[in-house]
Amino acid sequence: YFHHADSFAMMRGGHLDVCVLGAFQVSAAGDLANWHTGAPDAIPAVGGAMDLATGAKDVYVMMSLFTKDGRSKLVPECSYPLTGVGCVTRVYTNEAVFLISSEGVRVRETFGTTVEELQSKMDVKLLPPLEG
């Protein structure tokens, strides 16, 4: 429990090891889009998310992997306005956990599906899980 100004000092001062955010899209390069979809009736408000995305040492995203119409939210490039560039290192979804690095997008583990099934539904090239 701390003052609002202190929370921004912690974020902007690089004092956070990890933050967890939701997202509309995450790119294969770790770009984060979580504040606006461009919908005409939406009220865009980035708020403190950009401070968290740039101030934390690691940014984890929790989201459903697919939209209601079946499109992947893990994309080659974000089509929505960005919150942070290259900031996401891990994505937790209902289908799998993904690690994002300079090597690309690696599947850490899957839930009730296979890497091959996921790959058939996504435009992002998936690297297989590491052995061991």
Side-chain angles (χ1 to χ4, degrees):
Y1 183 71
F2 37 81
H3 188 273
H4 182 79
D6 293 334
S7 70
F8 278 91
M10 285 187 279
M11 288 184 278
R12 294 175 180 168
H15 302 289
L16 296 177
D17 291 328
V18 176
C19 81
V20 181
L21 296 168
F24 295 126
Q25 291 178 328
V26 174
S27 79
D31 301 332
L32 171 67
N34 78 343
W35 67 278
H36 188 46
T37 63
D41 59 341
I43 300 170
V46 71
M50 66 182 171
D51 294 291
L52 287 165
T54 59
K57 293 176 181 79
D58 279 306
V59 176
Y60 297 169
V61 166
M62 294 187 72
M63 66 181 186
S64 56
L65 183 55
F66 299 105
T67 63
K68 291 179 183 178
D69 62 358
R71 291 179 291 132
S72 176
K73 295 180 186 179
L74 187 53
V75 295
E77 291 184 19
C78 293
S79 60
Y80 297 145
L82 295 182
T83 308
V85 175
C87 58
V88 177
T89 56
R90 193 173 295 193
V91 178
Y92 291 90
T93 75
N94 52 321
E95 304 270 346
V97 176
F98 302 93
L99 306 176
I100 299 180
S101 70
S102 59
E103 295 176 5
V105 178
R106 183 171 304 281
V107 177
R108 181 167 185 225
E109 64 183 302
T110 61
F111 311 113
T113 189
T114 66
V115 174
E116 294 76 19
E117 289 172 327
L118 288 174
Q119 186 64 80
S120 71
K121 300 176 187 177
M122 300 174 68
D123 293 330
V124 171
K125 168 114 176 72
L126 299 176
L127 302 172
L130 293 173
E131 298 299 321

